[in-house]
Amino acid sequence: MNHEVQTPAPINSPEAIERGLAGKTVAIVGLSSRPGSASFPVASYLKSQGYRVIPVNPTEKSVLGEVSYPSLRDIPEKVDVVDVFRRSDLTPAIAAEAIEIGADVLWMQLGIANHKAAQLARDAGLTVVMNRCMKIEHTARHPHP
């Protein structure tokens, strides 16, 4: 078994996106139970595609039948991808938590980009995607018949 730490793929490269989509457990920071929110349809889609979706939102008890945690640190299992639906200026702190919990990928959703957060995550060995939507990227690579 290969235990080498992977070098992070270049930010937003096809390889980075593939690594993000290859994760099985996705913690969605800022996931709301409101169907009209940006996060809800993305989480619903990812769950329908077999991803383990973990809501991270201190104001929610549960979303899509999953227990919501107040922070990434409170999640009791390994997280592959941290998918962020929070303002760009809040992402450095989220990146720090993603590093702390040992996530593999920091994914900032469409409209969210922060180079400080990206550099922090990359310096710690995480793959970074920003200003991209996991649902759009997944759909583009796995079109429905």
Side-chain angles (χ1 to χ4, degrees):
M1 194 128 101
N2 185 354
H3 290 288
E4 289 177 40
V5 173
Q6 281 187 329
T7 304
I11 295 171
N12 285 2
S13 65
E15 184 185 352
I17 292 167
E18 284 302 326
R19 284 188 191 177
L21 295 176
K24 298 289 177 233
T25 302
V26 182
I28 303 184
V29 180
L31 178 53
S32 170
S33 60
R34 289 179 298 110
S37 70
S39 60
F40 188 85
V42 172
S44 183
Y45 172 82
L46 292 174
K47 191 170 177 178
S48 78
Q49 297 302 305
Y51 288 92
R52 166 91 171 96
V53 170
I54 301 173
V56 179
N57 186 332
T59 66
E60 297 282 1
K61 293 277 184 256
S62 72
V63 183
L64 293 167
E66 303 292 341
V67 172
S68 182
Y69 294 92
S71 76
L72 290 170
R73 290 182 193 96
D74 296 309
I75 298 171
E77 61 189 273
K78 166 80 170 99
V79 170
D80 301 317
V81 180
V82 172
D83 188 12
V84 182
F85 281 90
R86 300 294 315 274
R87 291 191 332 254
S88 295
D89 62 319
L90 300 175
T91 57
I94 296 166
E97 270 194 58
I99 293 161
E100 189 182 316
I101 68 164
D104 301 317
V105 178
L106 176 67
W107 189 303
M108 293 176 251
Q109 277 294 136
L110 202 56
I112 303 167
N114 184 301
H115 292 284
K116 181 181 174 191
Q119 196 59 54
L120 189 67
R122 279 186 54 79
D123 288 349
L126 277 71
T127 293
V128 176
V129 177
M130 57 183 177
N131 195 23
R132 297 284 173 92
C133 175
M134 275 190 85
K135 178 182 176 186
I136 291 169
E137 298 298 335
H138 187 276
T139 304
R141 287 161 178 76
H142 305 92
H144 293 291

